[in-house]
Amino acid sequence: MAAVVLVATRLLRGSGCWSGSRLRFGPSAYRRFSSGGAYPNIPLSSPLPGVPKPVFATVDGQEKFETKVTTLDNGLHVASQNKFGQFCTVGILINSGSRYEAKYLSGIAHFLEKLAFSSTARFDSKDEILLTLEKHGGICDCQTSRDTTMYAVSADSKGLDTVVGLLADVVLQPRLTDEEVEMTRMAVQFELEDLNLRPDPEPLLTEMIHEAAYRENTVGLHRFCPTENIAKINREVLHSYLRNYYTPDRMVLAGVGVEHEHLVDCARKYLLGVQPAWGSAEAVDVDRSVAQYTGGIAKLERDMSNVSLGPTPIPELTHIMVGLESCSFLEEDFIPFAVLNMMMGGGGSFSAGGPGKGMFSRLYLNVLNRHHWMYNATSYHHSYEDTGLLCIHASADPRQVREMVEIITKEFILMGGTVDAVELERAKTQLTSMLMMNLESRPVIFEDVGRQVLATRSRKLPHELCTLIRNVKPEDVKRVASKMLRGKPAVAALGDLTDLPTYEHIQTALSSKDGRLPRTYRLFR
């Protein structure tokens, strides 16, 4: 055993007593980097012979592919952004949504979202559509917002012709059979029940704050179908709406990961000169109303004590959302408002910490860290083509509603005060980081391209937006915040509202210098 160890040690050290072995076994004993004979003994610092010279990527912060836009003869816009990869995301975005339903039954856009990718003139069922997409590894989705409806497909780029033909059929040739409409009624009914039962109140509060801020107009109209309209919406109602709003001049065919010329050829093939299922009569009743901010309050008294049962139930909470009018995403002040929203930040009391989570944002430092009884304080910014809304959502025990509202009004007042240079730089860096990380995803790029082209007929590239963010100064944030504070507030309240201050008191607090609510005195409690 000792002899074996001695032999191994000498081999590893290259001891002189084995010099004869080196000569006996030839050049292989000298090879240090490879045991094979395919390559000669070349140091790692030298290039291998016969290997092509590598071309390395360079980082200059610029987009390698520009966004190309073409307008067809019928007014439809085709926009594309090429991107490396085997798959593409293609879809049709339409200027259509709940804001255009003033002259119709509220809830049509909600129905159309649920009816998407059902049977069409060429496809007998939804299953047939899904099987067609599966041949190209594809998936499909439809989403509606207050001002945009989006039909999208992600699939192998080789199937682009099939995908565009399918999208054209889904958007312009839906059958809308009685059976499909009835199934959609059940789906909408279930979604409304789920909305009222779910522990997270944010979707319902967002609906309420819009209703309060834009009373009975444009983006203040119901995004979800009211219960009383479910039975009233049928094929004829849907066709009367589609006739006016699903027109080529209100559409963008957007694609990411495709060649622009190929996408334009497919658009001409499937979307030019096509007779829609509802006929080709000219749109005559298009709503071009501009959003009118009214301010106001929307309240919903509800028992929240049993919203989440189980071994660790969520405690009973009252939820408040206070908002003020900001600006449209087409205005220059949109970027300072986005930075302000990031600076406010916030989240839930159980949010995980870590880099980029906003733990140094104002709503964490000034609210959640100081007031342990508050369960949530989060800033939101909703922006549209002609208006915007900056809100703060807060949650606490019903007995502390008044104190919670005063804390939020104080934070609004502080927005118009001094902006610390360090917190501003942190907010700008976080906003830039979030923007660039989101734009790593192909579906997000698709939505960005589609929405920008739909609104402005062009697209600002990420590096342009980053430059605008970097140029925001403390006085810009102070200016937009001061302008916002001169408007009337919008308030949404959900839960036990016994101690909720009056709307007039909240308005007075937001008009004061310190954000304090007027004192109230009670003889009896």
Side-chain angles (χ1 to χ4, degrees), residues 114-145:
K114 301 300 175 196
L115 283 162
F117 295 98
S118 296
S119 66
T120 69
R122 282 199 300 132
F123 300 96
D124 291 332
S125 67
K126 188 166 194 165
D127 288 342
E128 197 174 323
I129 289 175
L130 296 177
L131 286 170
T132 303
L133 288 175
E134 275 183 18
K135 292 175 185 175
H136 301 283
I139 55 172
C140 61
D141 186 29
C142 176
Q143 295 178 7
T144 60
S145 62

Coordinates of all heavy atoms in Angstrom, one line a residue, residues 114-145:
K114 N -65.2 37.8 -23.3 CA -65.5 36.4 -23.0 C -65.8 35.6 -24.3 O -65.6 34.4 -24.3 CB -66.6 36.3 -22.0 CG -66.4 36.9 -20.7 CD -65.2 36.4 -20.0 CE -64.9 37.2 -18.7 NZ -63.6 36.9 -18.2
L115 N -66.3 36.3 -25.3 CA -66.7 35.6 -26.6 C -65.5 35.4 -27.5 O -65.7 34.8 -28.5 CB -67.8 36.4 -27.3 CG -69.2 36.3 -26.7 CD1 -70.1 37.4 -27.2 CD2 -69.8 34.9 -27.1
A116 N -64.4 36.0 -27.2 CA -63.2 36.0 -28.1 C -62.8 34.6 -28.4 O -62.8 33.7 -27.5 CB -62.1 36.8 -27.6
F117 N -62.3 34.3 -29.6 CA -61.8 33.0 -30.0 C -62.8 31.9 -29.9 O -62.5 30.8 -29.7 CB -60.5 32.7 -29.2 CG -59.3 33.6 -29.5 CD1 -59.1 34.7 -28.6 CD2 -58.6 33.5 -30.6 CE1 -58.0 35.6 -28.9 CE2 -57.5 34.4 -30.9 CZ -57.3 35.4 -30.0
S118 N -64.1 32.3 -30.1 CA -65.1 31.3 -30.3 C -65.3 31.0 -31.7 O -64.5 31.4 -32.6 CB -66.4 31.8 -29.6 OG -66.3 32.0 -28.2
S119 N -66.4 30.3 -32.1 CA -66.6 29.9 -33.5 C -66.6 31.1 -34.5 O -67.1 32.2 -34.1 CB -67.8 29.1 -33.7 OG -69.0 29.9 -33.4
T120 N -66.1 30.9 -35.7 CA -66.1 32.0 -36.7 C -66.6 31.4 -38.0 O -67.0 30.2 -38.1 CB -64.6 32.5 -36.9 OG1 -63.8 31.5 -37.5 CG2 -64.0 32.9 -35.5
A121 N -66.5 32.2 -39.1 CA -66.9 31.7 -40.4 C -66.1 30.5 -40.9 O -66.6 29.6 -41.6 CB -66.8 32.9 -41.4
R122 N -64.8 30.5 -40.5 CA -63.9 29.4 -41.0 C -63.7 28.3 -39.9 O -63.4 27.1 -40.3 CB -62.5 29.9 -41.3 CG -62.5 30.6 -42.7 CD -61.1 30.7 -43.2 NE -60.2 31.5 -42.3 CZ -59.0 31.1 -42.0 NH1 -58.5 29.9 -42.3 NH2 -58.2 31.8 -41.2
F123 N -63.9 28.6 -38.7 CA -63.7 27.6 -37.6 C -65.0 27.3 -36.9 O -65.7 28.3 -36.4 CB -62.6 28.2 -36.6 CG -61.3 28.5 -37.2 CD1 -61.0 29.7 -37.6 CD2 -60.4 27.4 -37.4 CE1 -59.7 30.0 -38.2 CE2 -59.1 27.7 -38.0 CZ -58.8 29.0 -38.4
D124 N -65.3 26.1 -36.8 CA -66.6 25.7 -36.2 C -66.7 25.8 -34.7 O -67.8 25.8 -34.1 CB -67.0 24.2 -36.6 CG -67.3 24.2 -38.1 OD1 -67.7 25.2 -38.7 OD2 -67.0 23.1 -38.7
S125 N -65.6 25.8 -34.0 CA -65.6 25.8 -32.6 C -64.3 26.4 -32.0 O -63.3 26.6 -32.8 CB -65.8 24.4 -32.0 OG -64.7 23.6 -32.3
K126 N -64.3 26.7 -30.7 CA -63.1 27.2 -30.1 C -62.0 26.1 -30.1 O -60.8 26.4 -30.3 CB -63.4 27.6 -28.6 CG -62.3 28.3 -27.9 CD -62.8 28.9 -26.6 CE -61.8 29.9 -26.1 NZ -62.3 30.8 -25.1
D127 N -62.4 24.9 -30.0 CA -61.4 23.8 -30.0 C -60.7 23.7 -31.3 O -59.5 23.4 -31.3 CB -62.2 22.4 -29.8 CG -62.6 22.3 -28.3 OD1 -62.1 23.0 -27.5 OD2 -63.5 21.4 -28.1
E128 N -61.4 24.0 -32.4 CA -60.7 23.9 -33.7 C -59.7 25.1 -33.8 O -58.6 24.9 -34.4 CB -61.8 24.1 -34.8 CG -61.3 23.7 -36.2 CD -62.4 23.7 -37.2 OE1 -63.6 23.4 -36.9 OE2 -62.1 24.1 -38.4
I129 N -60.0 26.2 -33.3 CA -59.1 27.3 -33.2 C -57.8 27.0 -32.4 O -56.7 27.2 -32.9 CB -59.7 28.6 -32.7 CG1 -60.7 29.2 -33.6 CG2 -58.7 29.7 -32.3 CD1 -61.5 30.3 -33.1
L130 N -58.0 26.4 -31.3 CA -56.9 26.0 -30.4 C -56.1 24.9 -31.0 O -54.8 24.9 -30.9 CB -57.4 25.5 -29.0 CG -58.2 26.6 -28.2 CD1 -58.7 26.0 -26.9 CD2 -57.3 27.8 -27.9
L131 N -56.7 23.9 -31.7 CA -55.9 22.9 -32.4 C -55.1 23.5 -33.5 O -54.0 23.0 -33.8 CB -56.9 21.8 -33.0 CG -57.5 20.9 -31.9 CD1 -58.6 20.0 -32.5 CD2 -56.4 20.0 -31.3
T132 N -55.6 24.4 -34.3 CA -54.9 25.1 -35.3 C -53.7 25.8 -34.8 O -52.6 25.7 -35.3 CB -55.8 26.1 -36.1 OG1 -57.0 25.5 -36.6 CG2 -55.0 26.8 -37.2
L133 N -53.8 26.5 -33.6 CA -52.7 27.2 -33.0 C -51.7 26.2 -32.5 O -50.5 26.5 -32.5 CB -53.2 28.1 -31.9 CG -54.0 29.4 -32.3 CD1 -54.5 30.1 -31.1 CD2 -53.1 30.3 -33.1
E134 N -52.1 25.1 -32.0 CA -51.2 24.1 -31.4 C -50.2 23.5 -32.4 O -49.1 23.2 -32.1 CB -52.0 22.9 -30.8 CG -52.5 23.2 -29.4 CD -53.2 22.0 -28.8 OE1 -53.0 20.9 -29.3 OE2 -53.9 22.2 -27.8
K135 N -50.6 23.5 -33.7 CA -49.7 23.1 -34.7 C -48.5 24.0 -34.9 O -47.5 23.6 -35.4 CB -50.5 23.0 -36.1 CG -51.6 22.0 -36.1 CD -52.3 22.1 -37.4 CE -53.5 21.1 -37.4 NZ -54.4 21.2 -38.6
H136 N -48.6 25.2 -34.4 CA -47.5 26.2 -34.4 C -47.1 26.5 -33.0 O -46.4 27.5 -32.8 CB -47.9 27.4 -35.2 CG -48.4 27.2 -36.6 ND1 -47.5 26.9 -37.6 CD2 -49.6 27.1 -37.1 CE1 -48.2 26.7 -38.7 NE2 -49.5 26.8 -38.5
G137 N -47.4 25.7 -32.0 CA -47.0 25.9 -30.6 C -47.6 27.2 -30.1 O -47.0 27.9 -29.3
G138 N -48.8 27.5 -30.5 CA -49.4 28.8 -30.2 C -50.4 28.8 -29.0 O -51.0 27.8 -28.7
I139 N -50.5 30.0 -28.4 CA -51.6 30.2 -27.4 C -52.2 31.5 -27.7 O -51.7 32.4 -28.4 CB -51.0 30.3 -26.0 CG1 -49.8 31.3 -25.9 CG2 -50.5 28.9 -25.5 CD1 -49.3 31.6 -24.5
C140 N -53.5 31.7 -27.2 CA -54.2 33.0 -27.6 C -54.8 33.6 -26.3 O -55.0 32.9 -25.3 CB -55.3 32.7 -28.6 SG -56.5 31.5 -28.0
D141 N -55.2 34.9 -26.4 CA -55.7 35.6 -25.3 C -56.5 36.8 -25.8 O -56.1 37.4 -26.8 CB -54.6 36.0 -24.3 CG -55.2 36.6 -23.0 OD1 -56.3 36.2 -22.6 OD2 -54.5 37.4 -22.4
C142 N -57.5 37.2 -25.0 CA -58.1 38.5 -25.3 C -58.3 39.3 -24.0 O -58.7 38.7 -23.0 CB -59.5 38.3 -26.0 SG -60.4 39.8 -26.2
Q143 N -58.0 40.6 -24.0 CA -58.1 41.4 -22.8 C -58.8 42.7 -23.2 O -58.5 43.3 -24.3 CB -56.8 41.7 -22.2 CG -56.1 40.5 -21.6 CD -54.7 40.8 -21.1 OE1 -54.3 42.0 -21.0 NE2 -54.0 39.8 -20.7
T144 N -59.7 43.2 -22.4 CA -60.3 44.5 -22.6 C -60.0 45.4 -21.4 O -60.0 44.9 -20.3 CB -61.9 44.4 -22.8 OG1 -62.4 43.8 -21.6 CG2 -62.2 43.5 -24.0
S145 N -59.8 46.6 -21.7 CA -59.7 47.6 -20.7 C -60.7 48.7 -20.9 O -61.6 48.5 -21.8 CB -58.3 48.2 -20.7 OG -58.0 48.9 -21.9

